[in-house]
Amino acid sequence: RLTLMHCEHSERVSIKKERLEKLAIAAMKQSQQAWLPKIRDMVSFEEIISVSTTIQQKFIAHCSEGEKHPLQKKITPGGDILILIGPEGDFSPGEIDAALKAGFIPVTLGETRLRTETAALVAVVAGHFANAG
């Protein structure tokens, strides 16, 4: 599933879900894949944190200083994975703290700073390869 969330530093307050679904279908056809991700309506950061209690593998990718683990080395195959990718201006310090208190593991997606959209794709690919076995 793809869930867009509204954070303190988010630039957008709404999305055009139908447009995203059309883009996902076009990408699916172009890549000749038969899997279409479900796209959910935009939710708040707080809602994501509150519903994450049943997920065992929870990660937050952020740009702030501190110890972080390479995502691909922390994913255990099988089960649901929730990876939080920050907005254009990254997560606020309060959001990072709330995620850590909720059991999210801080991760890095590599040595370079990525655009939000690219970071999300990198995270999905890491999850896919970890579960491909």
Side-chain angles (χ1 to χ4, degrees):
R1 278 187 304 229
L2 174 63
T3 303
L4 285 85
M5 66 182 160
H6 187 266
C7 298
E8 286 182 41
H9 297 158
S10 293
E11 292 181 6
R12 292 181 180 217
V13 294
S14 65
I15 60 168
K16 295 180 180 176
K17 185 177 169 185
E18 295 78 21
R19 181 177 183 278
L20 291 177
E21 288 170 342
K22 286 179 184 178
L23 288 170
I25 290 169
M28 180 185 75
K29 289 177 180 177
Q30 181 181 8
S31 65
Q32 298 179 347
Q33 297 296 311
W35 178 74
L36 180 65
K38 180 177 179 162
I39 300 174
R40 294 186 55 211
D41 290 321
M42 185 177 280
V43 299
S44 70
F45 175 84
E46 293 79 12
E47 184 177 342
I48 292 285
I49 295 297
S50 70
V51 300
S52 71
T53 57
T54 60
I55 299 172
Q56 293 183 355
Q57 296 190 76
K58 302 184 291 190
F59 306 101
I60 181 168
H62 62 82
C63 298
S64 297
E65 294 296 319
E67 182 181 357
K68 295 179 216 152
H69 309 278
L71 175 63
Q72 63 273 20
K73 292 185 179 181
K74 295 304 286 182
I75 296 175
T76 303
D80 290 336
I81 302 168
L82 174 57
I83 306 168
L84 301 181
I85 304 295
E88 299 82 1
D90 202 12
F91 292 108
S92 71
E95 289 168 336
I96 295 169
D97 188 51
L100 297 178
K101 286 179 180 174
F104 284 79
I105 297 169
V107 294
T108 179
L109 302 176
E111 299 296 319
T112 59
R113 186 172 290 208
L114 304 171
R115 290 179 56 93
T116 299
E117 301 87 349
T118 307
L121 289 173
V122 168
V124 168
V125 169
H128 173 75
F129 281 119
N131 281 309

Short mmCIF file of all heavy atoms in Angstrom, two decimals, residues 49-94:
data_model
loop_
_atom_site.label_atom_id
_atom_site.label_comp_id
_atom_site.label_asym_id
_atom_site.label_seq_id
_atom_site.Cartn_x
_atom_site.Cartn_y
_atom_site.Cartn_z
N ILE A 49 1.17 6.90 13.01
CA ILE A 49 1.81 6.42 14.24
C ILE A 49 0.80 5.62 15.07
O ILE A 49 1.13 4.56 15.60
CB ILE A 49 2.37 7.61 15.06
CG1 ILE A 49 3.49 8.31 14.29
CG2 ILE A 49 2.87 7.14 16.43
CD1 ILE A 49 4.71 7.46 14.01
N SER A 50 -0.42 6.10 15.16
CA SER A 50 -1.41 5.43 16.02
C SER A 50 -1.83 4.06 15.47
O SER A 50 -2.17 3.18 16.26
CB SER A 50 -2.64 6.33 16.23
OG SER A 50 -3.38 6.45 15.04
N VAL A 51 -1.85 3.88 14.17
CA VAL A 51 -2.25 2.58 13.61
C VAL A 51 -1.08 1.63 13.41
O VAL A 51 -1.27 0.49 12.99
CB VAL A 51 -3.02 2.74 12.27
CG1 VAL A 51 -4.28 3.55 12.46
CG2 VAL A 51 -2.14 3.31 11.18
N SER A 52 0.12 2.07 13.75
CA SER A 52 1.31 1.25 13.51
C SER A 52 1.56 0.21 14.60
O SER A 52 2.49 -0.57 14.49
CB SER A 52 2.55 2.15 13.40
OG SER A 52 2.89 2.70 14.66
N THR A 53 0.72 0.17 15.62
CA THR A 53 0.99 -0.70 16.78
C THR A 53 0.98 -2.19 16.44
O THR A 53 1.62 -2.97 17.13
CB THR A 53 -0.03 -0.43 17.90
OG1 THR A 53 -1.34 -0.62 17.38
CG2 THR A 53 0.11 0.99 18.43
N THR A 54 0.30 -2.58 15.37
CA THR A 54 0.23 -4.00 15.02
C THR A 54 1.32 -4.43 14.05
O THR A 54 1.43 -5.61 13.75
CB THR A 54 -1.14 -4.34 14.40
OG1 THR A 54 -1.31 -3.55 13.21
CG2 THR A 54 -2.27 -4.04 15.38
N ILE A 55 2.13 -3.51 13.60
CA ILE A 55 3.18 -3.82 12.63
C ILE A 55 4.50 -4.00 13.36
O ILE A 55 4.92 -3.13 14.12
CB ILE A 55 3.28 -2.72 11.56
CG1 ILE A 55 1.94 -2.62 10.81
CG2 ILE A 55 4.43 -3.00 10.59
CD1 ILE A 55 1.84 -1.46 9.86
N GLN A 56 5.17 -5.11 13.12
CA GLN A 56 6.40 -5.41 13.84
C GLN A 56 7.63 -4.73 13.23
O GLN A 56 8.55 -4.38 13.95
CB GLN A 56 6.61 -6.91 13.92
CG GLN A 56 5.58 -7.59 14.78
CD GLN A 56 5.84 -9.07 14.91
OE1 GLN A 56 6.74 -9.62 14.29
NE2 GLN A 56 5.04 -9.72 15.73
N GLN A 57 7.66 -4.57 11.92
CA GLN A 57 8.81 -3.96 11.26
C GLN A 57 8.46 -2.54 10.88
O GLN A 57 7.79 -2.30 9.88
CB GLN A 57 9.21 -4.76 10.02
CG GLN A 57 9.68 -6.17 10.35
CD GLN A 57 10.27 -6.83 9.14
OE1 GLN A 57 11.39 -6.52 8.74
NE2 GLN A 57 9.52 -7.75 8.54
N LYS A 58 8.94 -1.59 11.69
CA LYS A 58 8.62 -0.17 11.49
C LYS A 58 9.92 0.62 11.40
O LYS A 58 10.78 0.51 12.27
CB LYS A 58 7.78 0.36 12.66
CG LYS A 58 6.49 -0.39 12.87
CD LYS A 58 5.65 0.22 13.96
CE LYS A 58 6.28 0.03 15.32
NZ LYS A 58 5.35 0.41 16.41
N PHE A 59 10.03 1.40 10.34
CA PHE A 59 11.25 2.16 10.10
C PHE A 59 10.92 3.61 9.77
O PHE A 59 9.88 3.89 9.20
CB PHE A 59 12.03 1.55 8.92
CG PHE A 59 12.30 0.08 9.08
CD1 PHE A 59 11.53 -0.86 8.42
CD2 PHE A 59 13.32 -0.36 9.91
CE1 PHE A 59 11.76 -2.22 8.57
CE2 PHE A 59 13.56 -1.72 10.06
CZ PHE A 59 12.78 -2.65 9.39
N ILE A 60 11.84 4.50 10.11
CA ILE A 60 11.71 5.90 9.72
C ILE A 60 13.02 6.33 9.06
O ILE A 60 14.09 6.20 9.65
CB ILE A 60 11.34 6.82 10.90
CG1 ILE A 60 11.20 8.28 10.43
CG2 ILE A 60 12.30 6.67 12.07
CD1 ILE A 60 10.58 9.22 11.43
N ALA A 61 12.92 6.81 7.83
CA ALA A 61 14.07 7.32 7.09
C ALA A 61 14.00 8.84 7.17
O ALA A 61 13.06 9.45 6.70
CB ALA A 61 14.03 6.85 5.64
N HIS A 62 14.99 9.42 7.81
CA HIS A 62 15.02 10.88 7.95
C HIS A 62 16.44 11.38 7.73
O HIS A 62 17.39 10.60 7.68
CB HIS A 62 14.48 11.31 9.32
CG HIS A 62 15.27 10.80 10.48
ND1 HIS A 62 16.42 11.42 10.92
CD2 HIS A 62 15.09 9.73 11.29
CE1 HIS A 62 16.91 10.76 11.95
NE2 HIS A 62 16.12 9.73 12.20
N CYS A 63 16.57 12.70 7.59
CA CYS A 63 17.88 13.29 7.27
C CYS A 63 18.59 13.88 8.49
O CYS A 63 19.72 14.35 8.36
CB CYS A 63 17.69 14.39 6.22
SG CYS A 63 17.02 13.78 4.67
N SER A 64 17.98 13.86 9.64
CA SER A 64 18.60 14.44 10.84
C SER A 64 19.77 13.60 11.30
O SER A 64 19.89 12.42 10.96
CB SER A 64 17.57 14.55 11.96
OG SER A 64 16.54 15.43 11.60
N GLU A 65 20.63 14.23 12.09
CA GLU A 65 21.79 13.53 12.64
C GLU A 65 21.35 12.44 13.60
O GLU A 65 20.25 12.45 14.11
CB GLU A 65 22.69 14.53 13.38
CG GLU A 65 23.34 15.57 12.48
CD GLU A 65 24.30 14.96 11.48
OE1 GLU A 65 25.07 14.05 11.85
OE2 GLU A 65 24.29 15.40 10.31
N GLY A 66 22.24 11.50 13.84
CA GLY A 66 21.96 10.41 14.77
C GLY A 66 22.27 9.08 14.12
O GLY A 66 22.46 8.98 12.92
N GLU A 67 22.30 8.06 14.97
CA GLU A 67 22.61 6.73 14.48
C GLU A 67 21.45 6.19 13.64
O GLU A 67 20.29 6.26 14.05
CB GLU A 67 22.86 5.77 15.65
CG GLU A 67 23.23 4.38 15.21
CD GLU A 67 23.45 3.42 16.37
OE1 GLU A 67 23.37 3.84 17.53
OE2 GLU A 67 23.68 2.25 16.09
N LYS A 68 21.80 5.67 12.47
CA LYS A 68 20.82 5.06 11.58
C LYS A 68 21.42 3.79 11.00
O LYS A 68 22.63 3.68 10.84
CB LYS A 68 20.45 6.02 10.44
CG LYS A 68 19.75 7.26 10.89
CD LYS A 68 19.46 8.16 9.71
CE LYS A 68 19.61 9.59 10.15
NZ LYS A 68 20.00 10.49 9.14
N HIS A 69 20.55 2.85 10.69
CA HIS A 69 20.96 1.57 10.14
C HIS A 69 20.59 1.51 8.67
O HIS A 69 19.56 2.04 8.27
CB HIS A 69 20.26 0.43 10.89
CG HIS A 69 20.39 0.52 12.37
ND1 HIS A 69 21.50 0.08 13.05
CD2 HIS A 69 19.56 1.03 13.31
CE1 HIS A 69 21.34 0.30 14.34
NE2 HIS A 69 20.16 0.88 14.52
N PRO A 70 21.38 0.84 7.85
CA PRO A 70 20.98 0.65 6.44
C PRO A 70 19.67 -0.15 6.40
O PRO A 70 19.58 -1.23 7.00
CB PRO A 70 22.13 -0.15 5.83
CG PRO A 70 23.30 0.08 6.75
CD PRO A 70 22.71 0.28 8.11
N LEU A 71 18.67 0.37 5.71
CA LEU A 71 17.36 -0.27 5.67
C LEU A 71 17.44 -1.72 5.23
O LEU A 71 16.86 -2.60 5.86
CB LEU A 71 16.41 0.52 4.76
CG LEU A 71 15.03 -0.11 4.54
CD1 LEU A 71 14.25 -0.20 5.85
CD2 LEU A 71 14.25 0.65 3.49
N GLN A 72 18.17 -1.98 4.15
CA GLN A 72 18.20 -3.33 3.60
C GLN A 72 18.78 -4.35 4.58
O GLN A 72 18.51 -5.54 4.46
CB GLN A 72 18.95 -3.37 2.25
CG GLN A 72 20.40 -3.00 2.32
CD GLN A 72 20.67 -1.50 2.20
OE1 GLN A 72 19.79 -0.68 2.42
NE2 GLN A 72 21.89 -1.14 1.87
N LYS A 73 19.54 -3.91 5.58
CA LYS A 73 20.11 -4.84 6.55
C LYS A 73 19.19 -5.05 7.75
O LYS A 73 19.41 -5.96 8.55
CB LYS A 73 21.47 -4.34 7.02
CG LYS A 73 22.52 -4.40 5.94
CD LYS A 73 23.87 -4.03 6.45
CE LYS A 73 24.88 -4.13 5.31
NZ LYS A 73 26.23 -3.80 5.76
N LYS A 74 18.17 -4.22 7.90
CA LYS A 74 17.27 -4.33 9.05
C LYS A 74 15.97 -5.06 8.74
O LYS A 74 15.29 -5.52 9.65
CB LYS A 74 16.94 -2.93 9.60
CG LYS A 74 18.12 -2.18 10.18
CD LYS A 74 18.84 -2.93 11.28
CE LYS A 74 18.10 -2.96 12.58
NZ LYS A 74 18.84 -3.64 13.65
N ILE A 75 15.60 -5.18 7.47
CA ILE A 75 14.34 -5.83 7.11
C ILE A 75 14.48 -7.34 7.26
O ILE A 75 15.42 -7.94 6.77
CB ILE A 75 13.94 -5.49 5.66
CG1 ILE A 75 13.65 -4.00 5.53
CG2 ILE A 75 12.72 -6.30 5.23
CD1 ILE A 75 13.37 -3.55 4.11
N THR A 76 13.52 -7.93 7.94
CA THR A 76 13.44 -9.37 8.07
C THR A 76 12.38 -9.86 7.08
O THR A 76 11.27 -9.33 7.07
CB THR A 76 13.01 -9.76 9.50
OG1 THR A 76 13.94 -9.19 10.43
CG2 THR A 76 12.97 -11.26 9.68
N PRO A 77 12.71 -10.86 6.25
CA PRO A 77 11.73 -11.34 5.27
C PRO A 77 10.44 -11.82 5.93
O PRO A 77 10.45 -12.42 7.00
CB PRO A 77 12.45 -12.50 4.59
CG PRO A 77 13.91 -12.21 4.78
CD PRO A 77 14.00 -11.54 6.12
N GLY A 78 9.34 -11.53 5.28
CA GLY A 78 8.03 -11.94 5.76
C GLY A 78 7.39 -10.87 6.63
O GLY A 78 8.06 -10.08 7.28
N GLY A 79 6.09 -10.85 6.61
CA GLY A 79 5.37 -9.90 7.45
C GLY A 79 5.27 -8.52 6.84
O GLY A 79 5.88 -8.20 5.83
N ASP A 80 4.48 -7.70 7.48
CA ASP A 80 4.28 -6.34 7.01
C ASP A 80 5.45 -5.45 7.40
O ASP A 80 6.08 -5.65 8.44
CB ASP A 80 2.99 -5.75 7.61
CG ASP A 80 1.75 -6.39 7.04
OD1 ASP A 80 1.81 -6.92 5.92
OD2 ASP A 80 0.71 -6.35 7.71
N ILE A 81 5.71 -4.47 6.55
CA ILE A 81 6.77 -3.50 6.78
C ILE A 81 6.16 -2.11 6.62
O ILE A 81 5.43 -1.88 5.66
CB ILE A 81 7.92 -3.66 5.76
CG1 ILE A 81 8.51 -5.06 5.81
CG2 ILE A 81 9.00 -2.62 5.99
CD1 ILE A 81 9.44 -5.37 4.64
N LEU A 82 6.46 -1.22 7.54
CA LEU A 82 6.02 0.17 7.43
C LEU A 82 7.27 1.04 7.42
O LEU A 82 8.07 0.99 8.36
CB LEU A 82 5.11 0.54 8.60
CG LEU A 82 4.68 2.00 8.71
CD1 LEU A 82 3.97 2.47 7.43
CD2 LEU A 82 3.78 2.20 9.91
N ILE A 83 7.45 1.79 6.35
CA ILE A 83 8.61 2.66 6.22
C ILE A 83 8.10 4.09 6.05
O ILE A 83 7.38 4.38 5.09
CB ILE A 83 9.48 2.26 5.01
CG1 ILE A 83 9.88 0.79 5.09
CG2 ILE A 83 10.72 3.16 4.93
CD1 ILE A 83 10.48 0.23 3.82
N LEU A 84 8.47 4.96 6.96
CA LEU A 84 8.08 6.37 6.87
C LEU A 84 9.15 7.13 6.10
O LEU A 84 10.33 7.07 6.43
CB LEU A 84 7.94 6.98 8.26
CG LEU A 84 6.94 6.34 9.22
CD1 LEU A 84 6.93 7.10 10.55
CD2 LEU A 84 5.56 6.31 8.60
N ILE A 85 8.71 7.83 5.06
CA ILE A 85 9.58 8.68 4.25
C ILE A 85 9.13 10.11 4.48
O ILE A 85 7.95 10.42 4.33
CB ILE A 85 9.47 8.34 2.75
CG1 ILE A 85 9.77 6.86 2.49
CG2 ILE A 85 10.36 9.26 1.92
CD1 ILE A 85 11.18 6.44 2.78
N GLY A 86 10.04 10.98 4.84
CA GLY A 86 9.70 12.35 5.17
C GLY A 86 9.29 13.19 3.97
O GLY A 86 9.56 12.84 2.83
N PRO A 87 8.63 14.30 4.26
CA PRO A 87 8.24 15.24 3.21
C PRO A 87 9.45 16.01 2.69
O PRO A 87 10.58 15.80 3.16
CB PRO A 87 7.25 16.15 3.92
CG PRO A 87 7.71 16.16 5.33
CD PRO A 87 8.24 14.77 5.59
N GLU A 88 9.20 16.94 1.79
CA GLU A 88 10.26 17.72 1.16
C GLU A 88 11.22 18.35 2.17
O GLU A 88 12.41 18.38 1.95
CB GLU A 88 9.65 18.82 0.28
CG GLU A 88 8.79 18.30 -0.85
CD GLU A 88 7.36 17.96 -0.43
OE1 GLU A 88 7.00 18.13 0.76
OE2 GLU A 88 6.60 17.51 -1.29
N GLY A 89 10.72 18.83 3.28
CA GLY A 89 11.57 19.46 4.30
C GLY A 89 11.94 18.53 5.43
O GLY A 89 12.36 18.98 6.49
N ASP A 90 11.79 17.24 5.25
CA ASP A 90 12.07 16.19 6.23
C ASP A 90 11.06 16.23 7.37
O ASP A 90 10.22 17.12 7.45
CB ASP A 90 13.50 16.30 6.78
CG ASP A 90 13.99 14.98 7.37
OD1 ASP A 90 13.35 13.94 7.16
OD2 ASP A 90 15.05 14.98 8.05
N PHE A 91 11.13 15.27 8.24
CA PHE A 91 10.28 15.23 9.42
C PHE A 91 10.74 16.31 10.40
O PHE A 91 11.93 16.65 10.44
CB PHE A 91 10.38 13.87 10.11
CG PHE A 91 9.79 12.74 9.33
CD1 PHE A 91 10.60 11.79 8.73
CD2 PHE A 91 8.41 12.61 9.20
CE1 PHE A 91 10.06 10.73 8.02
CE2 PHE A 91 7.87 11.56 8.49
CZ PHE A 91 8.69 10.62 7.90
N SER A 92 9.84 16.79 11.21
CA SER A 92 10.22 17.72 12.28
C SER A 92 10.88 16.91 13.40
O SER A 92 10.69 15.69 13.49
CB SER A 92 8.98 18.44 12.83
OG SER A 92 8.18 17.54 13.57
N PRO A 93 11.67 17.57 14.26
CA PRO A 93 12.26 16.83 15.39
C PRO A 93 11.21 16.15 16.25
O PRO A 93 11.41 15.04 16.73
CB PRO A 93 13.00 17.93 16.16
CG PRO A 93 13.34 18.95 15.12
CD PRO A 93 12.17 18.94 14.18
N GLY A 94 10.05 16.80 16.44
CA GLY A 94 8.98 16.19 17.23
C GLY A 94 8.41 14.93 16.58
O GLY A 94 8.07 13.97 17.28
#
